Amino acid sequence: MKWYQLSDVELEKKLGVAKQKGLSSKEASSRLRKFGPNLLEADHKTSLLLLFLKQFQDFMVLVLLAATLVSGLLGEYVDAIAIMIIVLVNGIIGFFQEQKAEKSLAKLKELSAPMATVYRDGSWIKIPSKDVVVGDLIKVASGDRIAADIRITKSNSLEIEESALTGESLPIAKHSNPIMEDALEPADQTNMAFMGTMVTRGSAEGIVVGTGMQTAMGQIADLLVHTQQKATPLERKLAELGKILIVVALLLTAFVVVLGVIQGHQVYQMFLAGVSLAVAAIPEGLPAIVTVALSLGVQRMIKKKAIVRKLSAVETLGSASVICSDKTGTMTENQMTVKGIYLNHAFIDVSGEGYNPKGSFYLNNKKINNKHLDSLLLYGALCNHAALEKKKGKWLIDGDPTEGALLVAARKANISLEDTEKFKVIHELPFDSDRKRMSVVVEAMDGSRFVITKGAPEVLLPRCTYIQDEVSRRPLRTKDEKQINHAIDQMADHALRTIAICIKPIAADRSLNDQIIEKDLTFVGISGMIDPPRKEVKAAIAECNAAGIKTVMITGDHAKTAQAIAKHLELMPENGKVLQGHELSKMTQDQLSEIIEDVYVFARVTPEHKLKIIKALQDKGHVVAMTGDGVNDAPAIKASDIGISMGNSGTDVAKEASSLVLLDDNFSTIKSAIKEGRNIYENIRKFIRYLLASNVGEILVMFFAMLLALPLPLVPVQILWVNLVTDGLPAMALGMDQAEDDVMNRGPRNPREGIFARGLGFKIISRGFMIGLVTLIAFIIAYQGNPDHLIYAQTIAFTTLVMAQLIHVFDCRSEKSVFARNPFQNLYLVGAVLSSLLLVLIVIYYEPLQPVFHTTDLTIKDWIFILAMSSIPTFFFGFSKK
Ligand code: ATP
């Protein structure tokens, strides 16, 4: 027998699970141990040895090693061994940097790993999909990616898109009845849901029959193409820049070598110096440091509850100029409470707070309790999937908060679970943001049936032909409609979210045709609920404003409700416009682009409208961040520059399409992520400036010395040591620098600007030139044309170069001036500079190392001279912004 042929009872028996309780957690972990995790394959990891060897595959490093070997054979053992050791240490540092980058990327992957809802020990819980085992009872809903192979036991208008498995992109309707045929292909097993496929509509429960490689997807897992993190635009740009820098550095060093030889230096000595210079000057560590800086930034974002799924988003975040955000749950708490009810053309007030089911109903300040109100509340509780529970003294909702609010209102009128269980839901048309309504067909104990539809009032009213008054239903007149519309506006003006409730009797023998269910309805009443704005959002919107980022609210809710909340959040200026979905539909793309800058609220829109909005904003040159949570939001999330999904309420499909996930679904987290994104980009600019200016300095000092027919101001091992001690740690520390105070007071970065924009190129060349110049001057002054002074002069040049770089690093922290920031704010940097300094002091003063590094003791006077010289590059430009 195949899984699809079995009945529920047979399934339960075969899989050793009772539907009432699900698996026990003990049994589940024993199955997990026995059959392994629900994963398609073991993760292939790059071996550590390979990662280590990778550090030495660089062409110039290989040339350096070869050159060192030659110099070793020529008798220069000390130099050769020293160089080898430095190259090795460099490799080790590179290895740790890359390992850190890899580890944090793996951690990211883990954080965005999918979850599944299973029934264990008698309650529904969310677990990582990899922990799902055969026999688990599992629940899926629209937007979920199926976690394992499931035999469906209960389904609700379920449709699944199976293209990942079968190539067929049209969703397939699924059911829960056994199928008796033999040898069916997966595509024809319509009571099965397969791992990796996607629920596009409805919901279902089922029992897991296969996990990991035992699933239909597992059979074809070898065919699956691995998706790897692609290099971000910045990483690509830097890789290109790296190539150019290699050529420039090689040309310059070749020039230095040729000049040196012409000036009478020994060929092999010049060759070794040239290769060392090339190794030092080529910023081979740059891509790794960028990745580390990006991923460290990503770690900081996680602490602020934002998970970056695509590294490239970090860069784009800094350029965001518009945030299009959902209202419900993102700008508001998504904690709905029914505050008013419109019934019999009168307003009833509801008391009580939050989800606590204690409260009363008041008409004209008098407590009321009548049958008509009870039936409206009962309908709301029946057309409902939410559950109310008290955990640790707190009332909580499991399910949709809108439905939760209706349930709480019903409990306030003492309508209990037993009351609702007297009715059986026999059919359902699920809610989605396009339809803005949901219907159920229920059967009472006496066999009579009726439809309950709830949804946006303007959507339901045109479907109503009757209105229910206290005793009977009567035809809905134009006057009634006018009154109802007026009531909707009134409720919405008070920021209430409105849900109309309608019914319709239906004969027991009538077929349940979806087309007729939601027609000729009887209007019963409207529930109005508040959803308070999140406290932090107002300040976050103001901060975005100051940062030149416009915030736009996009909501399925009523225009007036949206406007009332937008006003409260001060999202909209006086002349700001609200545009409604039906107006948007009528506009051409160009018409929308024309007015879009003035629109701050889009109301009653469907997810499809979001694409049009994004396009119009992008036409205007904006970089758009767009939030979404449903299945239908995925195309818009993909089309935006920064797709954002919700960690709590978002569907798997939306999360997969997004580049940023908000763990707390909170608007202000987007602001924090943008701030962090801007800071990371600035930090990358900071260490690029530092590294390249240092390299320019190193090359120029050698270059000028050769031009002036001087001896080598730096010997190869010194050059490599400078490269090692000044490049690595301080650059990394710059990558961890705090944001400048005004990062959110500047406009967004132009996405087309190059890395050297805003004066960075000039800063690199000018500071680099000065570093080279002062080092050379210090060398000349110390040398005084006397060969006996050579080692002393080289020590002075070496120390001046290092100190000039270590002072310059503090200037790199700000684009304004070296005095703009407190140098002790970034303790990593202070630590990095001190340890670099220590490493330099060791090779100057530790006697056994002096012959290795061609150094000699320096006096206090020397140090004063060195400090004076090495301060010049930074303080010469200290006051200028250029
Ligand atoms: P946002 O897009 O900001 O999250 P929203 O939650 O109001 O806003 P939708 O979920 O698309 O957007 O809801 C649109 C409308 O549909 C609501 O204003 C409400 O009238 C109605 N509605 C919402 N939830 C339900 C539900 N569970 N059943 C029936 N109708 C609903």
Side-chain angles (χ1 to χ4, degrees):
M1 292 286 266
K2 300 274 173 22
W3 295 117
Y4 59 83
Q5 296 172 320
L6 301 178
S7 70
D8 280 13
V9 181
E10 289 167 318
L11 267 173
E12 287 184 36
K13 211 164 121 200
K14 202 152 180 185
L15 295 168
V17 57
K19 254 215 253 156
Q20 293 76 23
K21 285 200 100 174
L23 289 179
S24 67
S25 41
K26 206 168 133 212
E27 173 63 20
S29 37
S30 115
R31 286 187 190 193
L32 190 62
R33 244 175 289 126
K34 203 154 144 204
F35 301 109
N38 178 29
L39 291 172
L40 278 187
E41 56 189 327
D43 234 357
H44 296 297
K45 276 197 187 139
T46 331
S47 87
L48 291 184
L49 181 68
L50 223 64
L51 194 67
F52 181 66
L53 291 179
K54 222 180 98 189
Q55 309 304 318
F56 305 97
Q57 69 179 14
D58 190 66
F59 176 68
M60 281 323 287
V61 174
L62 291 177
V63 175
L64 178 64
L65 286 176
T68 317
L69 207 70
V70 174
S71 80
L73 292 177
L74 290 174
E76 304 277 342
Y77 303 121
V78 182
D79 271 9
I81 291 170
I83 291 177
M84 292 273 192
I85 290 176
I86 296 178
V87 171
L88 191 73
V89 174
N90 232 335
I92 292 173
I93 292 177
F95 167 77
F96 280 115
Q97 271 174 357
E98 273 200 36
Q99 217 202 355
K100 188 165 174 77
E102 233 178 54
K103 263 194 193 153
S104 44
L105 289 180
K107 211 166 157 193
L108 269 190
K109 226 168 140 192
E110 214 170 88
L111 270 167
S112 46
M115 305 287 282
T117 310
V118 295
Y119 198 62
R120 289 206 182 148
D121 301 310
S123 57
W124 288 106
I125 51 167
K126 268 198 158 176
I127 58 167
S129 295
K130 67 177 178 21
D131 295 341
V132 169
V133 294
V134 168
D136 258 330
L137 239 65
I138 197 163
K139 190 155 85 168
V140 296
S142 167
D144 284 352
R145 184 122 355 234
I146 306 275
D149 280 2
I150 299 167
R151 171 55 213 283
I152 300 161
T153 53
K154 208 164 150 188
S155 84
N156 233 327
S157 310
L158 181 67
E159 283 179 17
I160 295 184
E161 196 255 281
E162 298 185 327
S163 62
L165 189 66
T166 62
E168 170 59 58
S169 61
L170 277 183
I172 295 175
K174 298 270 179 173
H175 59 86
S176 56
N177 308 320
I179 308 173
M180 278 312 144
E181 281 160 68
D182 243 340
L184 286 183
E185 288 297 316
D188 299 320
Q189 301 178 13
T190 45
N191 59 8
M192 294 279 297
F194 298 103
M195 179 190 218
T197 61
M198 188 178 97
V199 184
T200 52
R201 184 163 186 248
S203 57
E205 281 173 30
I207 301 183
V208 174
V209 297
T211 59
M213 295 305 279
Q214 267 66 54
T215 57
M217 198 60 102
Q219 318 282 312
I220 58 162
D222 291 344
L223 304 175
L224 294 178
V225 194
H226 256 310
T227 47
Q228 263 190 344
Q229 281 269 8
K230 271 199 270 172
T232 74
L234 182 65
E235 286 176 319
R236 275 201 300 275
K237 252 191 247 167
L238 286 176
E240 273 161 34
L241 173 73
K243 279 184 207 143
I244 298 172
L245 289 177
I246 289 177
V247 175
V248 174
L250 284 182
L251 281 178
L252 281 174
T253 42
F255 211 61
V256 171
V257 173
V258 172
L259 264 180
V261 174
I262 292 173
Q263 307 282 16
H265 290 282
Q266 276 177 325
V267 177
Y268 95 88
Q269 205 187 21
M270 275 321 293
F271 183 64
L272 195 59
V275 179
S276 306
L277 194 57
V279 168
I282 294 168
E284 73 287 341
L286 203 58
I289 303 187
V290 170
T291 312
V292 171
L294 284 173
S295 45
L296 282 178
V298 165
Q299 310 269 318
R300 282 197 298 272
M301 285 197 197
I302 293 173
K303 285 201 191 112
K304 290 177 184 154
K305 304 234 178 303
I307 293 186
V308 174
R309 295 189 66 251
K310 295 178 190 136
L311 222 44
S312 56
V314 180
E315 294 158 31
T316 330
L317 270 170
S319 314
S321 59
V322 177
I323 307 173
C324 295
S325 168
D326 281 343
K327 169 181 70 71
T328 311
T330 315
M331 293 189 170
T332 65
E333 298 269 6
N334 210 4
Q335 277 258 344
M336 313 269 177
T337 314
V338 175
K339 284 282 174 189
I341 289 175
Y342 180 71
L343 188 74
N344 282 333
H345 294 316
F347 287 105
I348 296 168
D349 293 322
V350 188
S351 68
E353 293 302 323
Y355 295 135
N356 187 342
K358 283 215 170 71
S360 310
F361 300 83
Y362 299 87
L363 182 63
N364 300 326
N365 293 327
K366 262 203 217 114
K367 238 188 202 181
I368 59 155
N369 185 356
N370 68 40
K371 267 204 163 152
H372 193 186
L373 176 62
D374 281 355
S375 35
L376 172 109
L377 294 169
L378 174 69
Y379 300 147
L382 283 171
C383 185
N384 202 314
H385 283 293
L388 179 68
E389 53 195 11
K390 198 173 184 180
K391 267 192 190 157
K392 293 185 189 150
K394 237 178 127 182
W395 288 97
L396 298 173
I397 286 294
D398 180 17
D400 176 3
T402 303
E403 297 184 350
L406 295 176
L407 199 62
V408 171
R411 295 279 185 276
K412 286 178 182 169
N414 295 321
I415 294 166
S416 63
L417 196 61
E418 288 89 66
D419 295 323
T420 45
E421 275 172 357
K422 288 181 191 142
F423 298 86
K424 200 168 133 205
V425 176
I426 53 175
H427 189 65
E428 180 182 326
L429 298 177
F431 171 79
D432 70 44
S433 301
D434 283 320
R435 288 167 24 85
K436 297 191 174 31
R437 60 182 187 272
M438 161 186 179
S439 299
V440 289
V441 180
V442 293
E443 191 175 80
M445 302 243 275
D446 61 6
S448 64
R449 291 178 176 184
F450 59 101
V451 178
I452 308 170
T453 304
K454 74 177 197 309
E458 318 93 275
V459 176
L460 293 197
L461 209 51
R463 299 176 170 269
C464 292
T465 39
Y466 302 96
I467 180 167
Q468 179 81 39
D469 62 26
E470 252 170 294
V471 276
S472 62
R473 67 172 194 180
R474 60 175 173 78
L476 183 80
R477 288 187 291 263
T478 322
K479 196 174 148 225
D480 294 312
E481 272 185 65
K482 257 195 187 155
Q483 274 180 294
I484 296 170
N485 278 323
H486 183 64
I488 299 170
D489 280 353
Q490 268 183 293
M491 291 172 113
D493 277 338
H494 285 91
L496 291 184
R497 178 181 172 82
T498 47
I499 303 274
I501 294 193
C502 306
I503 54 162
K504 163 176 164 166
I506 197 163
D509 55 356
R510 189 106 185 246
S511 77
L512 299 175
N513 180 335
D514 287 1
Q515 308 306 322
I516 59 137
I517 287 178
E518 292 173 337
K519 261 188 184 164
D520 292 326
L521 300 168
T522 303
F523 177 86
V524 183
I526 301 174
S527 286
M529 44 190 83
I530 54 151
D531 176 17
R534 288 177 183 264
K535 281 186 212 77
E536 339 57 278
V537 171
K538 193 166 162 179
I541 290 176
E543 207 173 317
C544 287
N545 257 336
I549 305 163
K550 178 181 173 186
T551 307
V552 175
M553 179 191 282
I554 300 189
T555 177
D557 216 340
H558 193 281
K560 295 212 160 171
T561 314
Q563 196 173 1
I565 293 183
K567 277 219 173 105
H568 177 92
L569 293 172
E570 290 174 11
L571 174 148
M572 199 157 56
E574 278 300 316
N575 57 353
K577 286 202 174 78
V578 179
L579 200 67
Q580 300 210 47
H582 62 90
E583 300 170 297
L584 194 60
S585 301
K586 281 189 226 134
M587 285 182 174
T588 63
Q589 194 65 51
D590 287 342
Q591 283 168 332
L592 179 62
S593 297
E594 238 164 70
I595 60 149
I596 197 140
E597 298 280 15
D598 297 328
V599 183
Y600 286 79
V601 174
F602 290 89
R604 283 295 189 230
V605 294
T606 62
E608 282 67 34
H609 287 132
K610 287 187 174 178
L611 273 179
K612 207 166 165 181
I613 298 171
I614 292 177
K615 194 142 183 293
L617 285 166
Q618 286 174 337
D619 277 352
K620 287 276 163 193
H622 282 294
V623 174
V624 186
M626 166 75 81
T627 69
D629 45 20
V631 193
N632 304 344
D633 287 328
I637 292 179
K638 266 201 192 128
S640 65
D641 300 283
I642 305 152
I644 304 173
S645 65
M646 304 298 148
N648 281 327
S649 60
T651 56
D652 294 348
V653 179
K655 283 184 201 159
E656 283 166 23
S658 67
S659 39
L660 190 74
V661 182
L662 307 180
L663 283 179
D664 56 358
D665 298 10
N666 190 338
F667 176 86
S668 53
T669 306
I670 305 175
K671 179 224 66 190
S672 310
I674 288 181
K675 186 172 174 185
E676 199 54 66
R678 285 186 175 195
N679 186 35
I680 294 172
Y681 191 84
E682 289 310 314
N683 283 353
I684 290 174
R685 275 172 56 97
K686 287 175 199 171
F687 63 68
I688 287 179
R689 167 181 165 188
Y690 170 68
L691 284 180
L692 295 191
S694 301
N695 293 351
V696 169
E698 286 157 27
I699 292 188
L700 285 186
V701 65
M702 298 291 278
F703 184 69
F704 288 139
M706 292 306 103
L707 266 186
L708 298 174
L710 292 166
L712 285 179
L714 300 164
V715 294
V717 35
Q718 288 173 343
I719 297 173
L720 290 170
W721 193 247
V722 172
N723 182 44
L724 181 75
V725 300
T726 61
D727 280 10
L729 279 183
M732 287 274 271
L734 277 179
M736 296 200 263
D737 208 13
Q738 293 85 345
E740 279 194 83
D741 295 338
D742 62 349
V743 332
M744 289 301 266
N745 292 333
R746 313 171 190 156
R749 173 170 50 85
N750 179 349
R752 275 179 293 280
E753 82 169 32
I755 191 83
F756 295 124
R758 288 181 277 137
L760 197 76
F762 175 75
K763 282 193 169 115
I764 291 171
I765 306 271
S766 57
R767 273 54 162 190
F769 179 83
M770 286 298 275
I771 292 174
L773 193 65
V774 294
T775 309
L776 187 74
I777 293 174
F779 176 72
I780 293 173
I781 292 175
Y783 183 53
Q784 290 180 340
N786 186 345
D788 289 343
H789 291 179
L790 185 58
I791 289 198
Y792 166 67
Q794 281 171 335
T795 312
I796 293 272
F798 166 67
T799 318
T800 308
L801 180 67
V802 170
M803 291 313 294
Q805 295 183 356
L806 293 185
I807 294 173
H808 177 233
V809 75
F810 289 99
D811 190 23
C812 296
R813 291 186 61 221
S814 170
E815 307 220 346
K816 287 188 228 97
S817 93
V818 67
F819 306 108
R821 307 191 71 183
N822 172 2
F824 296 104
Q825 186 189 21
N826 182 348
L827 290 178
Y828 294 114
L829 188 60
V830 175
V833 167
L834 287 180
S835 44
S836 295
L837 195 59
L838 185 71
L839 288 171
V840 169
L841 291 179
I842 291 175
V843 298
I844 296 176
Y845 290 105
Y846 185 51
E847 252 173 58
L849 285 182
Q850 285 181 338
V852 180
F853 283 88
H854 302 250
T855 49
T856 178
D857 288 353
L858 294 175
T859 64
I860 295 278
K861 223 172 96 196
D862 293 331
W863 273 101
I864 294 172
F865 171 66
I866 288 168
L867 286 177
M869 291 305 279
S870 54
S871 306
I872 294 173
T874 296
F875 292 100
F876 181 78
F877 295 102
F879 297 97
S880 89
K881 284 191 177 186
K882 288 218 171 117

